[in-house]
Amino acid sequence: FTRFVRLGVPYIELNAQGRARPSIASLYNWRYRGLGDMPHVKTREVFQHANAGFAHEFQFIDVEDLAGVGESEPTPHFIQNLAEAEYCIAVYMYMRLIGYPREKITILSTYNGQVALLNDIATQRCGAFPELGMPHKIATVDKYQGQQNDFVLLSLVRTKTVGHLRDVRRLVVALSRARLGLYVLGRKSLFANCLELAPSFNILNGRSSRLKLVLGETVPTSRKVADSGNAFEVHNLQHMQAVVMQRMQELHKAGRAQAQALDAQEQTRQKILQAQAKYDQAAAKEDKAVEPVAEVNGASE
């Protein structure tokens, strides 16, 4: 396309985006000349409502080392980050437990090794719970180019060097896949100091680097996007996993209570049916015990 422009071929330059919330678009619209927002991303109801269970529609989450390990490279160029992978899947499970559809959630990473690890952990954590299901798609940023989803969880993986995310084009692709919710997991101290990425990370770092949740809220919510609700701060990966476990226990307890209530209703119904059957049997016996009175038709003499 650039070559055609240089050759003088006539072209039309788009100056408005219609995919994402304006606040999410602000993370990457600086890369384009005069890029604004189409009216519907400001007026449609889906863009005006908050993301249920989350205080913010986008957030950068600072992920610490797990057992002293950040990024790892089990084989050359196969880069992984176990802490970020576990955190991503914990957030995905949380979303599913409060009602987000599986097909509305995509998990992205900047490295193939991390995609493989995310798939392994998702299978381990979600495979035993059919009600959760596997994420709709786990893919690299490069392979997801041209696609979108309502909610995106993005793992940046690196903790030693910025790596190939330093290419601003790849960063723009990564940040522009989400329509309603974008949650980026990475190492704040690393990416916040990268000059090339500063326009985006200055905005991301304007909010707390600890995930903010709104506990007790389920999909859908009437809360507006500007209302952060009663925010609950998640301190680290282990804290997030504890939140997920508690939510699962609550749902299982509610499920057992509902099952017990249904059993009680069924027992009551059976008792009523048995009582009705006994009444019908008793009535039938009474009918047999009463002899019919014969009519005598006599002529008077």
Side-chain angles (χ1 to χ4, degrees), residues 269-285:
R269 190 179 73 87
Q270 292 295 334
K271 289 179 180 179
I272 293 173
L273 291 175
Q274 292 172 2
Q276 183 65 43
K278 290 180 179 180
Y279 175 83
D280 292 342
Q281 291 175 0
K285 288 181 180 179

Side-chain angles (χ1 to χ4, degrees), residues 19 24 27-28 30-32 108-110 140-149 152 154 156 165 167-178 182 200:
R19 170 183 293 167
I24 294 178
L27 296 171
Y28 53 84
W30 55 269
R31 180 65 177 168
Y32 304 94
L108 298 180
S109 179
T110 47
T140 61
V141 171
D142 291 350
K143 289 184 179 179
Y144 204 67
Q145 187 168 357
Q147 302 179 63
Q148 65 180 31
N149 209 341
V152 170
L154 173 63
L156 301 183
L165 194 66
D167 185 337
V168 174
R169 294 170 298 179
R170 183 172 281 110
L171 173 71
V172 169
V173 172
L175 299 180
S176 61
R177 301 305 93 197
L182 174 66
S200 295

